[in-house]
């Protein structure tokens, strides 16, 4: 059966202008949507602070006058080692966030700010 007009379609489905959706219909529509994860400034701030700490650590490894720079013995070994582990973890977190994409927006928020701060400190 072919329906010619919009009014005929409405008559076919018994549509009433005053009809309201049922509670079950509303709940089914809302349940099908993914819950939004609110983004907070805390993750950006945490990423910035850890990035600054790691960036200062990595940059200080090459400066002769720093406490963990070259020829500083055990302190240099520990400070430099922590900085390198932090840098490796930051890169790994950024790669993981890039691979997961929109499934992990909070990790992406943290990791991107973290790497940005490390890059800014290393290039300054």
């Amino acid at each position: 059966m072919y329906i010619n007009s919009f009014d005929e379609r409405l008559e076919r489905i018994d549509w009433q202008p005053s009809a309201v959706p049922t509670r079950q219909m509303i709940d089914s529509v809302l349940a099908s949507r993914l819950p939004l994860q609110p983004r907070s400034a805390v993750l950006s701030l945490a990423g910035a602070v850890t990035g600054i700490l790691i960036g200062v650590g990595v940059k200080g490894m090459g400066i002769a006058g720093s406490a963990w720079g070259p020829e500083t013995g055990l302190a240099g070994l520990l400070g430099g080692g922590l900085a390198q582990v932090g840098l490796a973890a930051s890169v790994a977190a950024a790669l993981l966030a890039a691979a997961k994409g929109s499934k992990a927006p909070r990790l992406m928020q943290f990791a991107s700010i973290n790497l940005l701060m490390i890059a800014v400190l290393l290039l300054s």
Side-chain angles (χ1 to χ4, degrees), residues 39-60:
R39 296 186 185 200
S40 66
V42 174
L43 288 173
S44 294
L45 184 61
V49 169
T50 56
I52 289 169
L53 291 174
I54 293 168
V56 167
V58 171
K59 185 141 183 147

Side-chain angles (χ1 to χ4, degrees), residues 7-56:
D7 291 329
E8 289 176 3
R9 289 182 191 176
L10 291 178
E11 288 176 15
R12 180 171 163 81
I13 62 171
D14 295 326
W15 181 78
Q16 298 173 3
S18 62
V20 294
T22 63
R23 191 73 190 146
Q24 293 85 8
M25 184 182 290
I26 293 171
D27 289 341
S28 70
V29 168
L30 292 177
S32 67
R33 293 184 179 184
L34 294 175
L36 294 176
Q37 294 181 347
R39 296 186 185 200
S40 66
V42 174
L43 288 173
S44 294
L45 184 61
V49 169
T50 56
I52 289 169
L53 291 174
I54 293 168
V56 167

